[in-house]
Amino acid sequence: MAKPRTLPRPDASIAAPAPQPLTPAAMAGLWTLRFGPFGCRDDETHGGVLHVEGNRMAGGDGQLIFHGQFAIDGPTTLAASLQVVRHGFGSDYRGVFGTLAPLFRLDVAAEAITPDLFEGRIGRTAGPDVRVVMRRLDPITERSRIV
């Protein structure tokens, strides 16, 4: 029986590439957004779209409209403060943010997994934080700029 081949061990360790610092310009584009309690199934999350340009975000889903500003905190962390306007009261919406108020504010902190994928949390004053995932759907184009 032949002896299994082994690869030679390199003398120098291979370092993971350093994360590339983010900029608001690099964030520009159309993103999908999924949010729900940590540990919930995908079909128990809510979702929508998010348009990012400059230091502004705006988007929504079938129940909420959200808009506000964001900043890059550290090389790969996004921090946002969003004003939320409820425009629907459908029976499928479970009040994931712990309020049924027509207007409220959300604070978001997310870490870049890749330049096109962020995962993080939405802080809540009552109850545990909510998980959020942002995926880039399309980069910004002249046609899609916020006016």
Side-chain angles (χ1 to χ4, degrees):
M1 176 173 248
K3 185 176 178 182
R5 283 182 45 183
T6 58
L7 297 174
R9 185 176 171 102
D11 292 340
S13 64
I14 299 173
Q20 294 299 312
L22 294 172
T23 63
M27 295 286 303
L30 186 61
W31 296 74
T32 62
L33 188 65
R34 299 297 305 171
F35 49 87
F38 280 94
C40 72
R41 298 185 321 255
D42 284 346
D43 65 344
E44 295 174 325
T45 63
H46 298 275
V49 295
L50 185 66
H51 187 270
V52 177
E53 185 179 350
N55 69 338
R56 299 180 300 164
M57 296 180 157
D61 64 10
Q63 304 296 319
L64 306 172
I65 297 170
F66 31 88
H67 61 91
Q69 295 184 340
F70 75 95
I72 304 301
D73 183 20
T76 60
T77 302
L78 175 134
S81 181
L82 303 174
Q83 178 72 34
V84 181
V85 179
R86 184 178 306 281
H87 66 86
F89 289 90
S91 61
D92 63 331
Y93 194 79
R94 298 177 189 94
V96 70
F97 298 115
T99 181
L100 293 176
L103 293 168
F104 57 98
R105 182 161 290 289
L106 293 176
D107 292 316
V108 180
E111 190 70 28
I113 307 302
T114 71
D116 297 326
L117 174 65
F118 282 76
E119 290 192 20
R121 61 186 59 243
I122 299 170
R124 291 188 352 169
T125 54
D129 289 351
V130 173
R131 180 176 181 244
V132 64
V133 176
M134 292 172 43
R135 290 182 192 276
R136 187 187 312 265
L137 183 63
D138 198 28
I140 196 81
T141 63
E142 278 303 314
R143 193 177 67 167
S144 63
R145 292 202 180 279
I146 296 175
V147 208

